[in-house]
């Protein structure tokens, strides 16, 4: 081979490496989940998510200020009510915990982008994501309740609603009710591809939302399946989903890539609680370089095709991006 035909390595200097990077990250693409606890003057740690706290609405400003300092402006809200019932009525109560949280955020950071998780599992006494009939989740009776929850979030001031329940037809049900009630501009960010994953463990501890009996495999996806993810995404697009979520992220990068390839709308990857917990725990033990693994996992997710990254590391990543350590 003629020596001048040899491909040159573009890795010689930091500046050159930066110039030719294929994946670039933006602080604006990060979304920080927030756990909102009913009550007053509560800020309590989540044992399985070191560094993540649950806040009552009045103390949310502390979380918002920390995020603001890091440059994070997008939030995904989860509610933890004091009381639960069979219908999950706390999910759509006007003065429900998430609704209070939305208003608190609106007051403190009017510029923040507020996405709300729409689901029933935190609000139902049985811990399932929908209505139970004879011990199984009944898809169709759940739909109007989810739509009602989404509407109450929109009324409280949410910018985006994100149904995570995995019932069939819920994107359409939510869209119709929002439109009827005049919220035509509020987008639906659908958890289109959500696997029945063991990686949600710490979240269920944080939100007190583990099902009392049974599991979620009847409505969440089987992680043996890849083509089914594309089918789920297409169904949600037919119902006019405005953004799609794939979750978990790290164990589903093939899926993120598949969905990014077919999706006409933005794709979010959700790096879930178990991913954060693993990285934190191994880091705290000195077994891995926590900062390096956090950065690499984030970049890998964007490299797979994600447009938006939902992560408990949002503040730390934003700082890494601004320092120039990644992207
Ligand atoms: C609610 C919901 C869950 C998560 C997001 N929305 C829990 C579940 O489905 O059991 C998990 C998020 C995480 O693990 O960080 N259905």
């Amino acid at each position: 081979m003629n020596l001048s035909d040899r491909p040159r390595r573009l890795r010689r200097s930091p500046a050159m490496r930066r110039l030719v990077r294929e994946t670039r990250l933006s602080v604006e693409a990060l979304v920080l989940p927030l756990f909102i606890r009913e009550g007053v003057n509560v800020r309590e740690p989540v044992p399985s998510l070191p560094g993540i706290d649950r806040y009552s609405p009045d103390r949310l400003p502390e979380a918002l200020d920390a995020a603001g300092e890091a440059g994070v402006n997008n939030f995904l809200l989860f509610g933890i009510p004091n009381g639960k019932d069979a219908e999950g009525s706390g999910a759509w109560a006007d003065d429900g915990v998430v609704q209070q949280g939305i208003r608190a955020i609106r007051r403190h950071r009017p510029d923040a982008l507020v996405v709300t998780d729409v689901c029933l599992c935190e609000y139902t006494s049985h811990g399932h994501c929908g209505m139970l009939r004879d011990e199984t989740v009944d898809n169709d009776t759940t739909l109007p309740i989810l739509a009602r929850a989404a509407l109450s979030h929109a009324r409280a001031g949410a910018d985006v609603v994100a149904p995570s329940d995995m019932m069939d037809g819920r994107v359409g049900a939510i869209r119709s009710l929002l439109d009827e009630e005049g919220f035509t501009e509020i987008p639906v960010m659908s958890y289109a591809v959500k696997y029945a994953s063991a990686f949600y463990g710490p979240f269920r501890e944080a939100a007190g939302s583990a099902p009392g009996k049974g599991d979620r495999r009847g409505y969440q996806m089987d992680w043996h399946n890849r083509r089914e993810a594309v089918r789920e995404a297409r169904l949600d697009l037919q119902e006019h989903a405005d953004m799609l979520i794939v979750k978990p992220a790290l164990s589903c990068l093939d899926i993120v890539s598949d969905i990014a390839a077919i999706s006409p709308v933005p794709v979010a990857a959700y790096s879930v609680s178990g991913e954060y917990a693993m990285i934190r725990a191994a880091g705290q033990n000195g077994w891995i370089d926590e900062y390096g693994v956090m950065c690499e996992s984030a970049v890998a997710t964007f490299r797979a095709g994600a447009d938006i990254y939902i992560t408990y590391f949002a503040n730390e990543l934003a700082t890494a991006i601004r320092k120039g350590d990644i992207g």
Side-chain angles (χ1 to χ4, degrees):
M1 179 164 77
N2 181 330
L3 219 52
S4 60
D5 288 341
R6 193 182 58 192
R8 247 130 331 249
R9 277 178 198 275
L10 300 172
R11 298 174 194 159
R12 276 178 205 281
S13 67
M16 204 186 301
R17 286 195 292 275
R18 279 201 197 97
L19 176 71
V20 298
R21 269 177 179 163
E22 297 176 35
T23 308
R24 299 197 193 271
L25 272 51
S26 161
V27 173
E28 279 142 27
L30 303 176
V31 181
L32 176 69
L34 290 177
F35 294 110
I36 309 172
R37 179 98 182 70
E38 196 160 1
V40 180
N41 196 23
V42 183
R43 177 174 178 174
E44 60 187 11
V46 180
S48 53
L49 295 173
I52 301 295
D53 293 337
R54 294 174 280 218
Y55 299 85
S56 53
D58 58 310
R59 292 194 62 179
L60 273 174
E62 294 167 38
L64 298 173
D65 290 348
E69 239 164 74
V72 172
N73 198 41
N74 310 315
F75 303 96
L76 172 60
L77 274 48
F78 295 96
I80 309 165
N82 283 337
K84 303 177 188 238
D85 57 31
E87 285 80 40
S89 56
W92 44 264
D94 275 343
D95 61 347
V97 57
V98 164
Q99 292 78 357
Q100 290 176 34
I102 298 166
R103 293 191 194 99
I105 296 177
R106 281 276 158 266
R107 279 193 296 274
H108 190 71
R109 284 269 305 273
D111 59 319
L113 184 101
V114 177
V115 185
T116 57
D117 187 270
V118 177
C119 196
L120 302 183
C121 61
E122 297 107 304
Y123 304 92
T124 50
S125 37
H126 44 75
H128 278 288
C129 302
M131 295 296 102
L132 278 197
R133 196 184 346 164
D134 306 331
E135 309 220 331
T136 55
V137 170
D138 188 56
N139 191 93
D140 292 5
T141 53
T142 304
L143 300 181
I145 299 170
L146 291 166
R148 221 169 145 181
L151 176 62
S152 76
H153 294 174
R155 282 194 176 133
D159 296 296
V160 181
V161 292
S164 71
D165 50 280
M166 289 302 277
M167 300 302 123
D168 293 328
R170 92 276 207 212
V171 174
I174 290 171
R175 183 72 275 152
S176 313
L177 187 63
L178 288 178
D179 288 353
E180 273 166 35
E181 298 290 330
F183 292 99
T184 51
E185 302 300 316
I186 300 290
V188 177
M189 181 193 248
S190 165
Y191 286 78
V193 183
K194 177 173 176 180
Y195 287 94
S197 169
F199 283 96
Y200 308 150
F203 173 95
R204 292 181 190 167
E205 190 196 5
S209 66
K213 244 201 227 168
D215 55 44
R216 303 211 204 289
R217 284 182 294 183
Y219 42 101
Q220 297 183 351
M221 285 175 58
D222 180 346
W223 33 259
H224 295 77
N225 297 349
R226 182 168 177 176
R227 281 193 305 269
E228 191 183 20
V230 173
R231 179 165 175 265
E232 288 283 353
R234 289 217 163 99
L235 287 171
D236 282 9
L237 289 167
Q238 276 168 18
E239 295 175 31
H240 305 295
D242 302 284
M243 292 172 247
L244 302 177
I245 303 180
V246 175
K247 137 185 196 189
L250 207 49
S251 57
C252 296
L253 293 182
D254 54 339
I255 311 298
V256 173
S257 165
D258 288 354
I259 300 304
I262 61 119
S263 177
V265 301
V267 175
Y270 190 158
S271 178
V272 298
S273 55
E275 300 176 43
Y276 175 88
M278 283 194 309
I279 297 173
R280 288 286 283 163
Q284 284 183 344
N285 273 298
W287 295 337
I288 57 169
D289 163 11
E290 181 180 333
Y291 188 74
V293 172
M294 169 190 82
C295 291
E296 192 175 324
S297 306
V299 171
T301 309
F302 283 102
R303 191 185 64 220
D307 303 296
I308 299 165
Y309 192 45
I310 306 169
T311 171
Y312 299 91
F313 277 123
N315 293 351
E316 291 83 350
L317 277 170
T319 306
I321 294 169
R322 286 172 16 162
K323 270 172 53 191
D325 288 347
I326 44 172

